[in-house]
Amino acid sequence: AQSVSQHNHHVILSEAASLELGCNYSYGGTVNLFWYVQYPGQHLQLLLKYFSGDPLVKGIKGFEAEFIKSKFSFNLRKPSVQWSDTAEYFCAVKSSASKIIFGSGTRLSIRP
Amino acid sequence: DAGVIQSPRHEVTEMGQEVTLRCKPISGHNSLFWYRQTMMRGLELLIYFNNNVPIDDSGMPEDRFSAKMPNASFSTLKIQPSEPRDSAVYFCASTLSGGQGAYEQFFGPGTRLTVL
């Protein structure tokens, strides 16, 4: 069965630090990949998505993610975080039908 | 577009009462999803519909939970009878399945349910 793993449950960084959140999935076929963000008290919003083409995907607010097929990974990066990036981040994969599988989420806390 | 609309935004009820959560997907979307989010279990998919038909309800925790989608613009999630452990935020999401740009899910604001 397909699954999504986010190994970091809680990441704490200082402002201006670089960010990388890990995401690995298990599925051998064609996948669509997503990163969603949930700000405190709000609903999930799409940060970026990968369907095909350039494996380096740029999203909103300076985020990017790289699809590495050989590693089954889709890590999220940002070169310099801000306090407003404090949120929970969810990686998700769609491989069949309409169902998307979400990871367990990574809580990001930024120290001002 | 108003996005996915959920009501109520907050619900506080007593154990044993029936709870009905409502969702209006984005117009034109043909897939609808109900999720539950708790601190303990994170985001769980409860059920999803394609063209108003339930496709996968394996995430529905118990028979106390039921969901319907009588038409393309409305869905309900009902809990009867409710229990304190049902307290969570319930999200509805919709998407347009098929074709380029498909499968990005748009989430509603959620319903925060508290069962006393």
Side-chain angles (χ1 to χ4, degrees):
Chain A
Q2 61 201 58
S3 65
V4 180
S5 297
Q6 292 182 245
H7 308 294
N8 312 108
H9 297 294
H10 189 193
V11 173
I12 303 173
L13 295 172
S14 297
E15 275 195 310
S18 64
L19 169 73
E20 181 159 2
L21 301 183
C23 174
N24 289 91
Y25 64 92
S26 63
Y27 184 73
T30 302
V31 293
N32 301 146
L33 298 157
F34 308 84
W35 275 97
Y36 281 83
V37 60
Q38 185 178 27
Y39 296 104
Q42 296 190 25
H43 60 283
L44 275 74
Q45 304 169 47
L46 184 71
L47 261 185
L48 48 79
K49 60 188 177 186
Y50 170 80
F51 279 71
S52 63
D54 189 344
L56 185 62
V57 180
K58 299 213 182 283
I60 60 172
K61 304 187 180 186
F63 286 91
E64 65 178 32
E66 186 173 12
F67 170 51
I68 303 180
K69 190 174 181 179
S70 60
K71 294 185 178 180
F72 297 90
S73 70
F74 190 55
N75 292 354
L76 181 71
R77 300 194 293 248
K78 185 171 183 178
S80 176
V81 295
Q82 302 171 301
W83 181 79
S84 58
D85 294 324
T86 296
E88 189 154 15
Y89 293 81
F90 293 89
C91 181
V93 61
K94 191 208 83 66
S95 59
S96 62
S98 302
K99 188 172 174 177
I100 293 179
I101 306 296
F102 283 85
S104 56
T106 297
R107 187 155 62 99
L108 176 63
S109 299
I110 306 297
R111 291 189 291 250
Chain B
D1 196 322
V4 176
I5 298 173
Q6 290 186 248
S7 64
R9 294 293 307 277
H10 299 272
E11 175 89 25
V12 180
T13 191
E14 290 186 337
M15 183 173 65
Q17 297 297 307
E18 177 181 296
V19 173
T20 300
L21 311 181
R22 297 174 177 79
C23 175
K24 177 177 165 49
I26 291 173
S27 177
H29 283 187
N30 58 358
S31 293
L32 182 141
F33 305 77
W34 281 102
Y35 293 90
R36 177 172 69 177
Q37 186 177 38
T38 61
M39 288 289 290
M40 291 295 293
R41 289 195 294 267
L43 193 65
E44 304 171 274
L45 176 65
L46 300 177
I47 184 171
Y48 80 95
F49 297 82
N50 240 12
N51 297 315
N52 312 339
V53 176
I55 301 300
D56 183 349
D57 65 354
S58 59
M60 296 285 262
E62 299 169 37
D63 291 345
R64 298 184 296 108
F65 285 69
S66 62
K68 293 182 180 178
M69 192 163 186
N71 57 62
S73 58
F74 184 65
S75 176
T76 59
L77 178 67
K78 188 175 290 187
I79 308 172
Q80 165 66 18
S82 58
E83 297 182 3
R85 60 194 167 118
D86 301 331
S87 297
V89 180
Y90 291 81
F91 288 103
C92 176
S94 70
T95 190
L96 178 61
S97 294
Q100 184 63 28
Y103 314 117
E104 172 190 339
Q105 293 189 6
F106 293 82
F107 282 76
T111 295
R112 182 174 294 277
L113 172 66
T114 303
V115 183
L116 303 173

